[in-house]
Amino acid sequence: MNSVRASIRKLPPSAAIKILKKVFSLPAPAARLILNDVTRARKSHKPWIHRVKLSQHHPQDWSGCWIGENIHDLNPDALMRRVYDADIILFYVHGGGFRIGSCTMYMDTNIAWINVLKEKYGLKCMIMSVDYRLAPEYRYPSPVEDVVRAYEHLIERIGIASEKIIVVGDSAGAALCLEMLFITHDPSMFEIEIADDNAQQPVLSELPRPAGTILISPLVTDQTTSESWTTNQKYDYITDYTAKVIKRDYFEPITTKKSEENDNEDEEKINQVLGIAKLQTGFSNFMSAQVLMYIGNLEVLRDDAIQLALKAEQDGVAWQTVIEDNVHDWFCVREVVKDKSTLIRADQTFADFCFKSIGQPKVKTNEQQLPYHIPTPRSSLSGLYAVKEEDEEDEDESSYLSDTTPSNSSSMFNYGLSKLSLNEFDQKSSKVASSEIVFV
């Protein structure tokens, strides 16, 4: 199987796109079986990965892994020291149409980010790569809850200053990042539903904005009516059928009531739309001050993503967009890129944006103490179960990528966020900032 995986990774971009188009159209179990094996972390990645698993004996708020240089064999204290000493923390949420994927599916890309930050600016970087529950076993808003918990854990439990955090998400992961930022900027807008009526009301506090946000081929709406959906399906591996599969598996159907004028008509079933796409203003309230977006000129999501960028920059967000003649998620799925020099330029832009967003890193002293851990009504930090990466031959990746990844059954509270109420969103801030679109 390893030789098959190696052969697939060496396929020309056109062949890789055809395979991805087929995989993304498959039912979730079959798609996971194929993609999880192809993207499974290799032995060369082992020194870079330190797993954080959910455990029945160690209640905690997130699962996934830390990614950093030579962190595999670190004990928990040494690992946390590396996290605190880092100049920049990338809070990363993977894509996969809410149905497939894992925290280690783009290891070559993640390592490239760490290396370019080190080589160009001398920055020490750690990546908190988050796993979340997958559809169709867990529908909206379960993945959003997992990402919110993870960001809250990074800020409040570990105590990392938001000034050195860059939120990064690709495709569906970018959608989850946007919803996380929206929810955590004003949690009072959302009702918290608790499964146990006798349980203590959980507290979801307002969390500070990260220093910057990087959106890679973001999924911002479930609609497929923009022009790029018509013109780019012949190039992209995301199709109308893929969109239908994602909507069927991820969004809970809503049944509308019969209108008084149409009592004889059947009730119409529609899907929830991604709430961010409905906003016309107010982006500067919940987004970071600076945003970098990568988009493919040949992907079906192009026009919807650019429309989001235009609305956000009109509302005061400093937005930079990099457009390449590539298909969906090209910055992470590097096998679909024919001209590899575009990736080198894109990595340089990535490093420039991160450095500009966090500013000059603070000089640390040897006597500097670990940050104070702010108490929350969740589990203690000592509950984190950091697990070293196992050898590739023995590692059961399905434990991270199956429909039980991750299950938050060990959390102190079992709660769910109610549906977004965009009509109550405070639409303010009419400042205008110039966005930057870079064609390279």
Side-chain angles (χ1 to χ4, degrees):
M1 182 60 73
N2 287 339
S3 60
V4 174
R5 292 168 55 197
S7 299
I8 291 177
R9 286 194 296 267
K10 294 178 181 179
L11 287 174
S14 59
I17 291 171
K18 290 180 180 179
I19 292 176
L20 287 171
K21 182 179 292 187
K22 180 62 177 178
V23 169
F24 271 80
S25 66
L26 294 173
R32 292 173 194 166
L33 182 65
I34 297 172
L35 193 63
N36 291 349
D37 191 72
V38 174
T39 62
R40 185 179 178 184
R42 304 190 297 275
K43 282 187 176 181
S44 60
H45 299 144
K46 179 179 176 180
W48 295 81
I49 300 171
H50 205 120
R51 295 275 184 182
V52 177
K53 292 184 181 179
L54 291 171
S55 169
Q56 295 180 351
H57 306 292
H58 299 275
Q60 59 205 41
D61 294 326
W62 78 289
S63 72
C65 69
W66 288 102
I67 301 174
E69 191 172 6
N70 295 320
I71 65 171
H72 175 260
D73 293 324
L74 296 181
N75 61 42
D77 290 339
L79 176 67
M80 284 298 101
R81 171 56 71 183
R82 285 285 299 274
V83 172
Y84 294 131
D85 285 347
D87 299 308
I88 182 171
I89 301 292
L90 301 180
F91 178 88
Y92 174 63
V93 183
H94 69 81
F98 309 105
R99 305 163 63 242
I100 54 182
S102 78
C103 62
T104 58
M105 67 186 299
Y106 299 129
M107 282 302 301
D108 289 335
T109 300
N110 297 150
I111 292 172
W113 294 345
I114 293 173
N115 286 337
V116 73
L117 287 167
K118 178 181 179 181
E119 293 166 3
K120 188 165 188 178
Y121 290 108
L123 295 177
K124 293 179 289 185
C125 173
M126 289 282 285
I127 300 177
M128 181 183 184
S129 187
V130 180
D131 265 333
Y132 52 87
R133 289 170 289 180
L134 300 174
E137 294 83 1
Y138 297 95
R139 297 177 178 236
Y140 176 89
S142 293
V144 181
E145 294 169 12
D146 295 340
V147 175
V148 168
R149 284 190 182 102
Y151 186 69
E152 184 182 29
H153 184 92
L154 180 64
I155 296 287
E156 296 202 340
R157 295 304 308 163
I158 301 182
I160 299 300
S162 62
E163 291 81 6
K164 72 173 189 177
I165 298 174
I166 304 292
V167 168
V168 187
D170 68 284
S171 190
L176 294 173
C177 288
L178 286 169
E179 299 232 30
M180 178 275 291
L181 292 171
F182 189 82
I183 291 170
T184 57
H185 97 281
D186 186 5
S188 65
M189 296 173 56
F190 304 92
E191 296 179 358
I192 298 179
E193 302 169 352
I194 310 176
D196 184 0
D197 293 335
N198 298 321
Q200 179 184 355
Q201 178 76 16
V203 177
L204 178 61
S205 11
E206 179 180 353
L207 300 176
R209 305 300 82 197
T213 302
I214 299 176
L215 305 174
I216 304 164
S217 295
L219 174 61
V220 299
T221 177
D222 68 346
Q223 299 301 306
T224 58
T225 55
S226 61
E227 183 180 354
S228 57
W229 272 97
T230 301
T231 59
N232 286 343
Q233 282 203 55
K234 58 185 175 182
Y235 307 115
D236 208 356
Y237 58 87
I238 303 298
T239 64
D240 270 325
Y241 181 76
T242 308
K244 291 177 182 178
V245 171
I246 292 174
K247 285 189 283 187
R248 179 196 67 201
D249 286 356
Y250 181 58
F251 295 106
E252 291 284 1
I254 302 175
T255 304
T256 60
K257 296 181 180 179
K258 296 178 181 178
S259 64
E260 295 179 0
E261 297 80 6
N262 300 291
D263 289 336
N264 296 326
E265 293 183 4
D266 293 334
E267 293 182 343
E268 179 187 5
K269 289 188 176 182
I270 60 174
N271 289 299
Q272 290 183 18
V273 297
L274 297 171
I276 303 302
K278 286 188 172 182
L279 294 177
Q280 298 301 319
T281 186
F283 294 92
S284 59
N285 294 330
F286 71 90
M287 298 195 73
S288 58
Q290 300 186 79
V291 176
L292 170 64
M293 181 174 74
Y294 293 91
I295 201 74
N297 197 38
L298 303 179
E299 68 171 295
V300 294
L301 303 184
R302 181 196 64 198
D303 292 353
D304 295 316
I306 291 177
Q307 183 62 30
L308 173 72
L310 292 174
K311 290 191 292 185
E313 65 92 11
Q314 289 173 2
D315 197 51
V317 179
W319 194 292
Q320 179 183 359
T321 300
V322 176
I323 302 179
E324 286 280 6
D325 279 333
N326 290 314
V327 297
H328 179 68
D329 211 2
W330 60 270
F331 189 50
C332 286
V333 189
R334 304 195 166 196
E335 291 80 4
V336 302
V337 178
K338 184 176 182 180
D339 182 3
K340 302 303 182 184
S341 66
T342 61
L343 294 172
I344 297 175
R345 294 197 299 270
D347 283 340
Q348 295 294 315
T349 302
F350 181 95
D352 294 341
F353 175 84
C354 291
F355 181 76
K356 178 178 65 174
S357 297
I358 66 171
Q360 187 66 30
K362 296 180 181 179
V363 178
K364 304 178 181 70
T365 63
N366 293 332
E367 294 78 17
Q368 185 173 359
Q369 299 298 315
L370 297 183
Y372 172 71
H373 296 276
I374 303 174
T376 69
R378 304 246 207 284
S379 53
S380 64
L381 181 64
S382 60
L384 277 178
Y385 183 37
V387 181
K388 298 178 183 178
E389 185 75 353
E390 301 171 2
D391 288 340
E392 186 177 67
E393 292 82 0
D394 301 327
E395 183 181 26
D396 181 12
E397 193 73 358
S398 62
S399 65
Y400 311 119
L401 309 174
S402 68
D403 53 317
T404 60
T405 305
S407 168
N408 280 338
S409 59
S410 61
S411 297
M412 186 176 298
F413 300 102
N414 181 16
Y415 69 89
L417 296 168
S418 64
K419 300 179 181 68
L420 302 182
S421 178
L422 294 173
N423 293 331
E424 299 177 3
F425 184 56
D426 183 18
Q427 298 184 355
K428 56 186 177 180
S429 176
S430 58
K431 297 181 296 181
V432 177
S434 60
S435 66
E436 180 182 357
I437 300 181
V438 181
F439 293 88
V440 289

